[in-house]
Amino acid sequence: MQDLFHAHVVGMDLFARALIAADNVRPKSDYQPIRQQRYDSFDSRAGQAFEQGQLTLEQLRDHAATNGEPAVASVTASRKHSHGYSRK
């Protein structure tokens, strides 16, 4: 029974540490600019037209097949430049 108690305490501690880390993601990382850059195509051109009901799913698929994936900056490179470190 004592092992179960210790496992529960360790699990709660791990959960609390994870919540603290998750809480730091938005204000202390470059998550928002990276996310904005990744999903820019959703708010312009074909992505915006699809959201507004001006394109069908088939037309959007044809657009993606013709134009390919949008370029996305590397997260690691972005972190290194904005914070002066690289996470390994």
Side-chain angles (χ1 to χ4, degrees):
M1 189 68 157
Q2 190 175 5
D3 289 345
L4 186 59
F5 173 76
H6 287 289
H8 183 72
V9 170
V10 169
M12 289 180 60
D13 183 55
L14 181 63
F15 186 74
R17 289 174 188 248
L19 284 175
I20 291 168
D23 186 49
N24 287 326
V25 167
R26 285 187 136 186
K28 296 181 180 177
S29 76
D30 51 359
Y31 164 77
Q32 289 294 357
I34 290 170
R35 184 176 182 273
Q36 179 65 38
Q37 180 184 8
R38 174 63 181 103
Y39 294 104
D40 267 350
S41 65
F42 285 54
D43 298 327
S44 62
R45 303 177 310 274
Q48 186 176 31
F50 178 73
E51 284 183 344
Q52 295 173 350
Q54 299 168 355
L55 282 180
T56 65
L57 189 56
E58 290 80 17
Q59 291 170 319
L60 187 61
R61 179 204 58 218
D62 294 341
H63 174 78
T66 302
N67 296 300
E69 290 278 332
V72 178
S74 168
V75 172
T76 303
S78 178
R79 283 184 179 158
K80 186 174 182 180
H81 293 300
S82 65
H83 298 294
Y85 68 90
S86 178
R87 190 171 189 161
K88 294 181 181 179

Coordinates of all heavy atoms in Angstrom, one line a residue:
M1 N 0.8 -1.2 0.0 CA 0.0 0.0 0.0 C 0.9 1.3 0.0 O 0.5 2.2 -0.6 CB -0.9 0.0 1.2 CG -2.0 1.0 1.2 SD -3.1 0.7 -0.2 CE -4.5 1.6 0.4
Q2 N 2.0 1.2 0.7 CA 2.9 2.3 0.8 C 3.4 2.7 -0.6 O 3.6 3.8 -1.0 CB 4.0 2.1 1.7 CG 4.8 3.3 2.0 CD 5.9 3.1 3.1 OE1 6.0 2.0 3.6 NE2 6.6 4.1 3.5
D3 N 3.7 1.6 -1.4 CA 4.2 1.8 -2.8 C 3.2 2.6 -3.6 O 3.5 3.4 -4.4 CB 4.6 0.5 -3.5 CG 5.9 -0.1 -2.9 OD1 6.6 0.6 -2.2 OD2 6.1 -1.3 -3.1
L4 N 2.0 2.2 -3.5 CA 0.9 2.8 -4.2 C 0.8 4.3 -3.8 O 0.6 5.2 -4.7 CB -0.4 2.1 -3.9 CG -1.6 2.6 -4.7 CD1 -1.4 2.4 -6.2 CD2 -2.9 1.8 -4.3
F5 N 0.9 4.6 -2.6 CA 0.9 6.0 -2.1 C 2.0 6.8 -2.7 O 1.8 7.9 -3.3 CB 1.0 6.1 -0.6 CG 1.1 7.4 -0.1 CD1 0.0 8.3 0.0 CD2 2.3 7.9 0.4 CE1 0.1 9.6 0.5 CE2 2.4 9.2 0.9 CZ 1.3 10.1 0.9
H6 N 3.2 6.3 -2.7 CA 4.4 7.0 -3.3 C 4.2 7.1 -4.8 O 4.6 8.2 -5.3 CB 5.7 6.2 -3.0 CG 6.1 6.3 -1.5 ND1 6.6 7.5 -1.0 CD2 6.1 5.4 -0.5 CE1 6.9 7.3 0.3 NE2 6.6 6.0 0.6
A7 N 3.7 6.1 -5.5 CA 3.5 6.2 -6.9 C 2.5 7.4 -7.2 O 2.7 8.1 -8.2 CB 3.0 4.9 -7.5
H8 N 1.5 7.5 -6.4 CA 0.5 8.5 -6.6 C 1.1 9.9 -6.4 O 0.8 10.8 -7.1 CB -0.7 8.3 -5.6 CG -1.8 9.3 -5.7 ND1 -2.7 9.2 -6.8 CD2 -2.2 10.3 -5.0 CE1 -3.5 10.2 -6.7 NE2 -3.3 10.9 -5.6
V9 N 1.9 10.1 -5.3 CA 2.5 11.3 -5.0 C 3.5 11.7 -6.2 O 3.5 12.9 -6.7 CB 3.3 11.3 -3.7 CG1 4.1 12.5 -3.5 CG2 2.3 11.2 -2.6
V10 N 4.3 10.8 -6.6 CA 5.2 11.0 -7.8 C 4.4 11.4 -9.0 O 4.8 12.3 -9.7 CB 6.1 9.8 -8.0 CG1 6.9 10.0 -9.3 CG2 7.1 9.6 -6.8
G11 N 3.3 10.7 -9.3 CA 2.5 11.0 -10.4 C 1.9 12.4 -10.4 O 1.9 13.1 -11.4
M12 N 1.4 12.8 -9.2 CA 0.9 14.2 -9.0 C 2.0 15.2 -9.2 O 1.7 16.3 -9.8 CB 0.2 14.3 -7.7 CG -1.1 13.5 -7.6 SD -1.9 13.6 -6.0 CE -2.2 15.4 -5.9
D13 N 3.2 14.9 -8.7 CA 4.3 15.8 -8.8 C 4.6 16.0 -10.3 O 4.8 17.1 -10.8 CB 5.5 15.3 -8.1 CG 6.7 16.3 -8.1 OD1 6.5 17.5 -7.7 OD2 7.8 15.9 -8.5
L14 N 4.7 14.9 -11.0 CA 5.0 15.0 -12.5 C 3.9 15.8 -13.2 O 4.2 16.6 -14.1 CB 5.1 13.5 -13.0 CG 5.4 13.4 -14.5 CD1 6.8 14.0 -14.8 CD2 5.4 12.0 -14.9
F15 N 2.7 15.5 -12.9 CA 1.6 16.3 -13.5 C 1.7 17.8 -13.2 O 1.5 18.6 -14.1 CB 0.2 15.7 -13.0 CG -0.9 16.3 -13.7 CD1 -1.2 15.9 -15.0 CD2 -1.8 17.2 -13.1 CE1 -2.3 16.5 -15.7 CE2 -2.9 17.8 -13.7 CZ -3.1 17.4 -15.0
A16 N 2.0 18.1 -12.0 CA 2.2 19.5 -11.7 C 3.3 20.2 -12.4 O 3.2 21.3 -12.9 CB 2.4 19.7 -10.2
R17 N 4.4 19.5 -12.6 CA 5.6 20.0 -13.3 C 5.2 20.2 -14.8 O 5.6 21.1 -15.4 CB 6.8 19.0 -13.2 CG 7.4 19.1 -11.8 CD 8.5 18.0 -11.8 NE 9.0 17.9 -10.4 CZ 10.3 18.2 -10.1 NH1 11.1 18.7 -11.0 NH2 10.6 18.1 -8.8
A18 N 4.4 19.2 -15.3 CA 4.0 19.3 -16.7 C 3.1 20.5 -16.9 O 3.2 21.3 -17.9 CB 3.3 18.1 -17.2
L19 N 2.2 20.8 -16.0 CA 1.3 22.0 -16.0 C 2.1 23.3 -16.0 O 1.8 24.2 -16.7 CB 0.3 22.0 -14.9 CG -0.9 21.0 -15.1 CD1 -1.7 21.0 -13.8 CD2 -1.7 21.3 -16.3
I20 N 3.1 23.3 -15.2 CA 4.0 24.5 -15.1 C 4.7 24.7 -16.4 O 4.8 25.8 -16.9 CB 5.0 24.4 -13.9 CG1 4.2 24.5 -12.6 CG2 6.1 25.5 -14.0 CD1 5.1 24.1 -11.4
A21 N 5.3 23.6 -17.0 CA 5.9 23.7 -18.3 C 5.0 24.2 -19.4 O 5.3 25.1 -20.2 CB 6.6 22.4 -18.6
A22 N 3.8 23.6 -19.4 CA 2.8 24.0 -20.4 C 2.4 25.5 -20.2 O 2.2 26.2 -21.2 CB 1.6 23.1 -20.3
D23 N 2.3 25.9 -19.0 CA 1.9 27.3 -18.7 C 3.0 28.3 -19.3 O 2.6 29.4 -19.6 CB 1.6 27.5 -17.3 CG 1.1 28.9 -16.9 OD1 0.1 29.3 -17.6 OD2 1.7 29.6 -16.0
N24 N 4.2 27.8 -19.3 CA 5.3 28.7 -19.8 C 5.4 28.7 -21.3 O 6.1 29.6 -21.8 CB 6.6 28.2 -19.2 CG 6.7 28.6 -17.7 OD1 6.2 29.6 -17.3 ND2 7.4 27.7 -17.0
V25 N 4.7 27.8 -22.0 CA 4.9 27.8 -23.4 C 4.5 29.1 -24.1 O 5.2 29.6 -24.9 CB 4.1 26.6 -24.0 CG1 4.0 26.6 -25.5 CG2 4.8 25.3 -23.6
R26 N 3.3 29.6 -23.8 CA 2.8 30.7 -24.5 C 3.6 32.0 -24.2 O 4.1 32.7 -25.1 CB 1.4 31.0 -24.2 CG 0.5 30.0 -25.0 CD -0.9 30.4 -24.8 NE -1.6 30.3 -26.1 CZ -2.8 30.6 -26.3 NH1 -3.5 31.1 -25.4 NH2 -3.3 30.5 -27.5
P27 N 3.8 32.4 -23.0 CA 4.5 33.7 -22.7 C 6.0 33.6 -22.8 O 6.6 34.6 -23.1 CB 4.1 34.0 -21.3 CG 3.8 32.7 -20.6 CD 3.2 31.8 -21.7
K28 N 6.6 32.5 -22.7 CA 8.1 32.4 -22.7 C 8.7 31.7 -23.9 O 9.8 31.3 -23.8 CB 8.5 31.7 -21.4 CG 8.1 32.5 -20.2 CD 8.6 31.9 -18.9 CE 8.2 32.7 -17.7 NZ 8.6 32.0 -16.5
S29 N 7.9 31.4 -24.9 CA 8.5 30.7 -26.1 C 8.0 31.4 -27.4 O 7.2 32.3 -27.3 CB 8.1 29.3 -26.1 OG 6.7 29.2 -26.5
D30 N 8.6 31.0 -28.5 CA 8.2 31.6 -29.8 C 7.1 30.7 -30.4 O 7.0 30.7 -31.6 CB 9.4 31.7 -30.7 CG 10.2 30.4 -30.8 OD1 9.9 29.4 -30.1 OD2 11.2 30.4 -31.5
Y31 N 6.3 30.1 -29.6 CA 5.2 29.2 -30.1 C 4.2 30.0 -31.0 O 3.9 29.5 -32.0 CB 4.5 28.6 -28.9 CG 3.2 28.0 -29.2 CD1 3.1 26.7 -29.9 CD2 2.0 28.6 -28.9 CE1 1.8 26.2 -30.2 CE2 0.8 28.1 -29.2 CZ 0.7 26.9 -29.8 OH -0.5 26.3 -30.1
Q32 N 3.8 31.1 -30.5 CA 2.7 31.9 -31.2 C 3.2 32.3 -32.6 O 2.5 32.1 -33.6 CB 2.2 33.1 -30.4 CG 1.4 32.7 -29.2 CD 0.1 32.0 -29.5 OE1 -0.3 31.9 -30.7 NE2 -0.6 31.6 -28.5
P33 N 4.4 32.9 -32.8 CA 4.8 33.3 -34.1 C 5.0 32.1 -35.0 O 4.7 32.1 -36.2 CB 6.1 34.0 -33.9 CG 6.1 34.4 -32.5 CD 5.3 33.4 -31.8
I34 N 5.5 31.0 -34.5 CA 5.7 29.8 -35.3 C 4.3 29.2 -35.7 O 4.1 28.9 -36.9 CB 6.5 28.7 -34.5 CG1 7.9 29.1 -34.3 CG2 6.4 27.3 -35.2 CD1 8.7 28.2 -33.4
R35 N 3.4 29.2 -34.8 CA 2.0 28.7 -35.2 C 1.4 29.6 -36.2 O 0.7 29.2 -37.1 CB 1.2 28.7 -33.9 CG -0.2 28.1 -34.1 CD -0.9 28.0 -32.8 NE -2.2 27.4 -32.9 CZ -3.3 28.1 -33.2 NH1 -3.3 29.4 -33.4 NH2 -4.5 27.5 -33.4
Q36 N 1.5 30.9 -36.0 CA 0.9 31.9 -37.0 C 1.5 31.7 -38.4 O 0.8 31.6 -39.4 CB 1.2 33.3 -36.5 CG 0.6 34.4 -37.5 CD -0.9 34.3 -37.6 OE1 -1.6 34.1 -36.6 NE2 -1.4 34.5 -38.7
Q37 N 2.8 31.5 -38.4 CA 3.5 31.3 -39.7 C 3.0 30.0 -40.4 O 2.8 29.9 -41.6 CB 5.0 31.3 -39.5 CG 5.7 31.1 -40.9 CD 7.2 31.0 -40.7 OE1 7.7 30.9 -39.5 NE2 8.0 30.9 -41.7
R38 N 2.9 29.0 -39.6 CA 2.5 27.6 -40.1 C 1.1 27.7 -40.7 O 0.8 27.0 -41.7 CB 2.6 26.6 -39.0 CG 2.0 25.2 -39.4 CD 2.9 24.6 -40.5 NE 2.4 23.3 -40.9 CZ 1.7 23.1 -42.0 NH1 1.4 24.1 -42.8 NH2 1.3 21.9 -42.3
Y39 N 0.2 28.4 -40.1 CA -1.2 28.4 -40.5 C -1.6 29.7 -41.3 O -2.8 29.9 -41.4 CB -2.1 28.2 -39.3 CG -1.9 26.8 -38.8 CD1 -1.2 26.6 -37.6 CD2 -2.4 25.7 -39.4 CE1 -1.0 25.3 -37.1 CE2 -2.2 24.4 -39.0 CZ -1.5 24.2 -37.8 OH -1.3 22.9 -37.3
D40 N -0.6 30.5 -41.7 CA -0.9 31.7 -42.5 C -1.8 31.4 -43.7 O -2.7 32.2 -44.1 CB 0.3 32.4 -42.9 CG 0.8 33.5 -42.0 OD1 0.0 33.8 -41.1 OD2 1.9 34.0 -42.2
S41 N -1.5 30.3 -44.4 CA -2.3 29.9 -45.6 C -3.8 29.7 -45.3 O -4.6 29.7 -46.2 CB -1.6 28.7 -46.3 OG -1.8 27.6 -45.5
F42 N -4.1 29.4 -44.1 CA -5.5 29.2 -43.7 C -6.3 30.5 -43.7 O -7.5 30.6 -43.9 CB -5.7 28.6 -42.3 CG -5.3 27.1 -42.3 CD1 -4.1 26.7 -42.7 CD2 -6.2 26.2 -41.7 CE1 -3.8 25.4 -42.6 CE2 -5.9 24.9 -41.7 CZ -4.7 24.4 -42.1
D43 N -5.6 31.7 -43.6 CA -6.2 33.0 -43.5 C -6.1 33.8 -44.7 O -6.4 35.0 -44.7 CB -5.7 33.7 -42.3 CG -6.0 33.0 -41.0 OD1 -7.0 32.4 -40.9 OD2 -5.1 33.1 -40.1
S44 N -5.6 33.2 -45.8 CA -5.4 34.0 -47.0 C -5.6 33.0 -48.2 O -5.7 31.8 -48.1 CB -4.0 34.6 -47.1 OG -3.0 33.6 -47.1
R45 N -5.8 33.6 -49.3 CA -6.0 32.9 -50.6 C -7.0 31.7 -50.5 O -8.1 31.9 -50.1 CB -4.6 32.5 -51.1 CG -3.6 33.6 -51.3 CD -2.3 33.2 -51.8 NE -1.7 32.1 -51.0 CZ -0.9 32.3 -49.9 NH1 -0.8 33.5 -49.4 NH2 -0.4 31.2 -49.3
A46 N -6.5 30.5 -50.9 CA -7.4 29.4 -51.0 C -8.0 28.9 -49.7 O -9.1 28.5 -49.5 CB -6.7 28.2 -51.7
G47 N -7.1 29.0 -48.6 CA -7.6 28.6 -47.3 C -8.7 29.5 -46.8 O -9.7 29.0 -46.3
Q48 N -8.6 30.8 -47.0 CA -9.7 31.7 -46.7 C -10.9 31.5 -47.5 O -12.0 31.5 -47.0 CB -9.2 33.1 -46.8 CG -10.2 34.2 -46.3 CD -9.6 35.6 -46.4 OE1 -8.8 35.9 -47.2 NE2 -10.0 36.4 -45.4
A49 N -10.7 31.3 -48.8 CA -11.9 31.0 -49.7 C -12.6 29.7 -49.3 O -13.8 29.7 -49.3 CB -11.4 30.9 -51.1
F50 N -11.9 28.7 -48.8 CA -12.5 27.5 -48.4 C -13.3 27.7 -47.1 O -14.4 27.3 -46.9 CB -11.4 26.4 -48.1 CG -12.0 25.1 -47.6 CD1 -12.8 24.3 -48.4 CD2 -11.8 24.8 -46.3 CE1 -13.3 23.1 -47.9 CE2 -12.4 23.6 -45.8 CZ -13.1 22.8 -46.6
E51 N -12.7 28.5 -46.1 CA -13.4 28.8 -44.9 C -14.7 29.6 -45.1 O -15.6 29.4 -44.4 CB -12.5 29.6 -44.0 CG -11.4 28.8 -43.3 CD -10.6 29.6 -42.3 OE1 -10.6 30.8 -42.4 OE2 -9.9 28.9 -41.5
Q52 N -14.7 30.4 -46.2 CA -15.9 31.2 -46.5 C -16.9 30.5 -47.4 O -17.9 31.0 -47.8 CB -15.4 32.5 -47.1 CG -14.6 33.4 -46.2 CD -14.0 34.6 -46.9 OE1 -14.1 34.7 -48.1 NE2 -13.5 35.5 -46.1
G53 N -16.6 29.2 -47.7 CA -17.5 28.4 -48.5 C -17.4 28.7 -50.0 O -18.3 28.3 -50.8
Q54 N -16.3 29.4 -50.4 CA -16.2 29.7 -51.9 C -15.5 28.6 -52.6 O -15.5 28.6 -53.9 CB -15.4 31.0 -52.0 CG -16.1 32.2 -51.4 CD -15.3 33.4 -51.3 OE1 -14.1 33.4 -51.6 NE2 -15.9 34.5 -50.8
L55 N -14.8 27.6 -51.9 CA -14.2 26.5 -52.6 C -14.7 25.2 -52.0 O -15.0 25.2 -50.8 CB -12.7 26.5 -52.3 CG -11.8 27.5 -53.1 CD1 -10.3 27.3 -52.6 CD2 -11.9 27.2 -54.6
T56 N -14.8 24.2 -52.8 CA -15.2 22.9 -52.3 C -14.0 22.2 -51.8 O -12.9 22.6 -52.1 CB -15.9 22.0 -53.4 OG1 -14.9 21.8 -54.4 CG2 -17.1 22.7 -54.1
L57 N -14.2 21.1 -51.1 CA -13.0 20.3 -50.6 C -12.2 19.8 -51.8 O -11.0 19.7 -51.7 CB -13.5 19.2 -49.7 CG -12.5 18.4 -49.0 CD1 -11.6 19.3 -48.1 CD2 -13.1 17.3 -48.1
E58 N -12.9 19.4 -52.9 CA -12.2 18.9 -54.0 C -11.3 20.0 -54.7 O -10.2 19.8 -55.1 CB -13.2 18.4 -55.1 CG -13.9 17.1 -54.6 CD -15.0 17.3 -53.7 OE1 -15.5 18.4 -53.5 OE2 -15.4 16.3 -53.0
Q59 N -11.9 21.2 -54.8 CA -11.1 22.3 -55.3 C -9.9 22.7 -54.4 O -8.8 23.0 -54.9 CB -12.0 23.6 -55.5 CG -13.0 23.5 -56.5 CD -14.0 24.6 -56.5 OE1 -14.5 25.0 -55.4 NE2 -14.4 25.1 -57.6
L60 N -10.1 22.6 -53.1 CA -9.0 22.8 -52.2 C -7.9 21.7 -52.4 O -6.7 22.0 -52.3 CB -9.5 22.9 -50.8 CG -8.5 23.3 -49.7 CD1 -7.9 24.7 -50.0 CD2 -9.1 23.2 -48.3
R61 N -8.3 20.5 -52.5 CA -7.4 19.4 -52.8 C -6.6 19.6 -54.0 O -5.4 19.5 -54.1 CB -8.1 18.1 -52.9 CG -7.2 16.9 -53.1 CD -7.9 15.7 -53.8 NE -8.5 16.1 -55.0 CZ -9.7 15.6 -55.5 NH1 -10.4 14.8 -54.8 NH2 -10.1 16.0 -56.6
D62 N -7.3 20.1 -55.1 CA -6.6 20.3 -56.4 C -5.6 21.5 -56.2 O -4.5 21.4 -56.8 CB -7.6 20.7 -57.5 CG -8.5 19.5 -57.8 OD1 -8.1 18.4 -57.5 OD2 -9.6 19.8 -58.4
H63 N -6.0 22.5 -55.4 CA -5.0 23.6 -55.2 C -3.8 23.1 -54.4 O -2.7 23.5 -54.8 CB -5.7 24.7 -54.3 CG -4.9 25.8 -53.9 ND1 -4.5 26.8 -54.7 CD2 -4.2 26.0 -52.7 CE1 -3.7 27.6 -54.1 NE2 -3.5 27.2 -52.9
A64 N -4.0 22.3 -53.4 CA -2.9 21.7 -52.7 C -2.0 20.8 -53.5 O -0.8 20.9 -53.4 CB -3.4 20.9 -51.5
A65 N -2.6 20.0 -54.4 CA -1.8 19.2 -55.3 C -1.0 20.0 -56.3 O 0.1 19.6 -56.6 CB -2.8 18.2 -56.0
T66 N -1.5 21.1 -56.7 CA -0.8 22.0 -57.7 C 0.3 22.8 -57.0 O 1.4 22.9 -57.5 CB -1.8 22.9 -58.4 OG1 -2.8 22.2 -59.0 CG2 -1.1 23.8 -59.4
N67 N 0.0 23.3 -55.8 CA 0.9 24.2 -55.2 C 1.8 23.6 -54.1 O 2.8 24.2 -53.7 CB 0.2 25.4 -54.6 CG -0.5 26.2 -55.6 OD1 0.1 26.7 -56.5 ND2 -1.9 26.2 -55.6
G68 N 1.5 22.4 -53.6 CA 2.3 21.8 -52.6 C 2.1 22.4 -51.2 O 1.3 23.3 -51.0
E69 N 3.0 21.9 -50.3 CA 3.0 22.4 -48.9 C 3.6 23.8 -48.8 O 4.6 24.1 -49.5 CB 3.8 21.4 -48.1 CG 3.2 20.1 -47.8 CD 2.1 20.1 -46.8 OE1 2.2 20.9 -45.8 OE2 1.2 19.3 -46.8
P70 N 3.0 24.6 -48.0 CA 3.7 25.9 -47.7 C 5.0 25.7 -47.0 O 5.2 24.8 -46.2 CB 2.7 26.7 -46.9 CG 1.8 25.7 -46.3 CD 1.8 24.5 -47.2
A71 N 6.0 26.6 -47.3 CA 7.3 26.5 -46.6 C 7.1 26.9 -45.1 O 6.4 27.8 -44.8 CB 8.3 27.5 -47.3
V72 N 7.8 26.1 -44.3 CA 7.7 26.4 -42.8 C 9.1 26.4 -42.3 O 9.9 25.6 -42.6 CB 6.9 25.2 -42.1 CG1 6.9 25.4 -40.6 CG2 5.5 25.1 -42.7
A73 N 9.4 27.5 -41.5 CA 10.7 27.6 -40.9 C 10.9 26.5 -39.8 O 10.0 26.1 -39.2 CB 10.9 29.0 -40.3
S74 N 12.1 26.1 -39.7 CA 12.5 25.1 -38.7 C 12.2 25.6 -37.3 O 12.7 26.7 -37.0 CB 13.9 24.6 -38.8 OG 14.3 23.9 -37.7
V75 N 11.6 24.9 -36.4 CA 11.4 25.3 -35.0 C 12.7 25.4 -34.3 O 12.9 26.4 -33.6 CB 10.5 24.3 -34.3 CG1 10.4 24.6 -32.8 CG2 9.1 24.3 -34.9
T76 N 13.6 24.5 -34.5 CA 14.9 24.5 -33.8 C 15.7 25.7 -34.3 O 16.2 26.4 -33.4 CB 15.7 23.2 -34.2 OG1 14.9 22.1 -33.8 CG2 17.0 23.2 -33.4
A77 N 15.7 26.1 -35.5 CA 16.4 27.2 -36.0 C 15.8 28.5 -35.5 O 16.5 29.4 -35.1 CB 16.4 27.3 -37.5
S78 N 14.5 28.5 -35.4 CA 13.8 29.7 -34.9 C 14.1 29.9 -33.4 O 14.4 31.0 -32.9 CB 12.3 29.6 -35.0 OG 11.6 30.6 -34.5
R79 N 14.2 28.8 -32.6 CA 14.5 28.9 -31.2 C 15.9 29.4 -31.0 O 16.2 30.2 -30.2 CB 14.3 27.6 -30.5 CG 12.9 27.2 -30.2 CD 12.9 25.9 -29.4 NE 11.5 25.6 -29.2 CZ 11.0 24.4 -28.9 NH1 11.9 23.4 -28.8 NH2 9.8 24.2 -28.6
K80 N 16.8 28.9 -31.8 CA 18.2 29.2 -31.7 C 18.4 30.7 -31.9 O 19.2 31.4 -31.2 CB 19.1 28.4 -32.7 CG 20.5 28.6 -32.5 CD 21.3 27.7 -33.4 CE 22.8 27.8 -33.1 NZ 23.6 26.9 -34.0
H81 N 17.7 31.3 -32.9 CA 17.9 32.7 -33.3 C 17.2 33.6 -32.3 O 17.8 34.6 -31.9 CB 17.4 32.9 -34.7 CG 18.2 32.3 -35.7 ND1 19.5 32.5 -35.9 CD2 17.9 31.3 -36.7 CE1 20.0 31.8 -36.9 NE2 19.0 31.1 -37.4
S82 N 16.1 33.2 -31.8 CA 15.3 34.1 -30.9 C 15.8 34.1 -29.5 O 15.6 35.0 -28.7 CB 13.8 33.9 -31.0 OG 13.5 32.6 -30.5
H83 N 16.3 32.9 -29.0 CA 16.7 32.8 -27.6 C 18.2 32.6 -27.4 O 18.6 32.5 -26.3 CB 16.0 31.6 -27.0 CG 14.5 31.8 -27.0 ND1 13.9 32.7 -26.3 CD2 13.5 31.1 -27.6 CE1 12.6 32.7 -26.5 NE2 12.3 31.7 -27.3
G84 N 18.9 32.4 -28.5 CA 20.4 32.2 -28.4 C 20.8 30.8 -28.0 O 21.9 30.5 -27.6
Y85 N 19.9 29.8 -28.0 CA 20.2 28.4 -27.7 C 19.5 27.5 -28.6 O 18.5 27.9 -29.3 CB 19.9 28.1 -26.2 CG 18.4 28.1 -26.0 CD1 17.6 26.9 -26.1 CD2 17.7 29.2 -25.5 CE1 16.3 26.9 -25.8 CE2 16.4 29.2 -25.3 CZ 15.7 28.0 -25.4 OH 14.3 28.0 -25.1
S86 N 19.9 26.3 -28.7 CA 19.3 25.3 -29.5 C 19.0 24.1 -28.6 O 19.8 23.7 -27.8 CB 20.2 24.8 -30.6 OG 19.6 23.8 -31.3
R87 N 17.7 23.7 -28.6 CA 17.3 22.6 -27.8 C 17.6 21.2 -28.4 O 17.3 21.0 -29.6 CB 15.8 22.7 -27.5 CG 15.3 21.8 -26.5 CD 13.9 22.1 -26.1 NE 13.5 21.3 -25.0 CZ 12.5 21.6 -24.2 NH1 11.8 22.7 -24.5 NH2 12.2 20.9 -23.2
K88 N 18.3 20.4 -27.7 CA 18.7 19.1 -28.3 C 17.9 17.9 -27.7 O 17.5 18.0 -26.6 CB 20.1 18.8 -28.2 CG 20.9 19.8 -29.0 CD 22.4 19.6 -28.9 CE 23.2 20.6 -29.7 NZ 24.6 20.5 -29.6

